[in-house]
Amino acid sequence: MTNSEPNAMQWITHYEPRPSHAAGAAAAFVRACQTGLEQGPPQLVMVFASAAVRFMLADLVATVYQEFGEGVTVLGCTGAGLVANAREHEQTDGIVWMAGYLPDVGVVPFWISPAEARSRSPAEWQTALSLRPEQQPAFVLLSDLFSVDGQALANALDQAFPGCPKIGGVASSGQTPGSNRLICDRQIERTGAVGVALWGDLRMVPFIAQGARPVGPILEVTQASGGSILGLD
């Protein structure tokens, strides 16, 4: 999404299919930012990569900082399915980049270990992020399903920041503990959860999207057994 109004928030999404090396993939993303972000460089970059690309992540992140400086925050994870520009990409290798120019918005990234995720109190969350509920931060959370209970993490943040929106999901593509990757700035982690708190001049409106479109007419299920549909009308 772009907006040509002076100093307006802008977002771009870039999909890089089957990248052969980190330098080329990062260069294509940088060009997309230079073209799509008319107001200036991004303050937040989000990276979602297929399993085969996880070995490039450190180099990709290093290039982002080389191009945009230390003022940018990088967040992301591996994923079995990727979505970009209204299209879903599954069973293929690639990278989805999202970049946001966010004027008058504070960006607070964090990584939390599995042990901390289970034990951190509401007051400790507020201290760790240097934020208070009255600042009304909005959260994006990405967790490793093998090491962190994502729902419990969201519940803990609800206690620390009641009434503040929290969206996100779980890192996928890995089939065993330690096989997923989580990105928080220059950190590439295999466990825990990463996130970013956004506060200031923004409004986040959460919604649920399945990544699928309805096909055919609306039908009523007339017979079923467990999760199997036996009859339609």
Side-chain angles (χ1 to χ4, degrees), residues 20 31 131-132:
S20 58
R31 289 194 297 270
L131 290 171
R132 295 292 179 266

Side-chain angles (χ1 to χ4, degrees), residues 112-147:
I112 186 167
S113 70
E116 290 175 313
R118 290 189 293 268
S119 63
R120 185 174 285 181
S121 69
E124 289 171 335
W125 268 112
Q126 295 170 11
T127 299
L129 301 181
S130 298
L131 290 171
R132 295 292 179 266
E134 53 267 26
Q135 292 173 277
Q136 289 294 290
F139 293 87
V140 179
L141 302 171
L142 302 170
S143 63
D144 168 56
L145 77 166
F146 293 107
S147 60

Side-chain angles (χ1 to χ4, degrees), residues 21 26 32 35 37-38 43 46 55 84 90 117 122 126 129 138 146 159 198 215:
H21 52 86
T35 302
L37 297 179
E38 303 166 358
Q43 285 75 48
M46 302 186 71
F55 304 106
E90 291 187 339
Q126 295 170 11
L129 301 181
F146 293 107
Q159 294 180 31
L198 306 171
V215 176

Side-chain angles (χ1 to χ4, degrees), residues 3-180:
N3 190 329
S4 59
E5 294 182 9
N7 212 38
M9 181 182 294
Q10 290 183 307
W11 288 92
I12 63 115
T13 301
H14 175 74
Y15 174 60
E16 188 71 17
R18 297 176 295 280
S20 58
H21 52 86
F29 166 64
V30 170
R31 289 194 297 270
C33 287
Q34 293 169 342
T35 302
L37 297 179
E38 303 166 358
Q39 307 288 357
Q43 285 75 48
L44 176 62
V45 170
M46 302 186 71
V47 188
F48 302 97
S50 61
V53 182
R54 67 184 185 275
F55 304 106
M56 301 182 189
L57 291 176
D59 291 336
L60 293 172
V61 170
T63 301
V64 169
Y65 280 103
Q66 180 181 340
E67 293 292 335
F68 299 122
E70 296 299 322
V72 66
T73 288
V74 183
L75 188 80
C77 66
T78 49
L82 305 174
V83 178
N85 302 318
R87 295 195 64 182
E88 188 171 7
H89 306 274
E90 291 187 339
Q91 309 302 321
T92 185
D93 293 323
I95 308 169
V96 171
W97 302 83
M98 294 179 63
Y101 172 75
L102 310 175
D104 303 317
V105 174
V107 182
V108 183
F110 59 89
W111 170 75
I112 186 167
S113 70
E116 290 175 313
R118 290 189 293 268
S119 63
R120 185 174 285 181
S121 69
E124 289 171 335
W125 268 112
Q126 295 170 11
T127 299
L129 301 181
S130 298
L131 290 171
R132 295 292 179 266
E134 53 267 26
Q135 292 173 277
Q136 289 294 290
F139 293 87
V140 179
L141 302 171
L142 302 170
S143 63
D144 168 56
L145 77 166
F146 293 107
S147 60
V148 168
D149 182 335
Q151 185 59 60
L153 176 61
N155 292 342
L157 280 168
D158 276 340
Q159 294 180 31
F161 299 95
C164 298
K166 300 154 189 83
I167 64 171
V170 297
S172 58
S173 80
Q175 303 299 314
T176 58
S179 56
N180 289 316

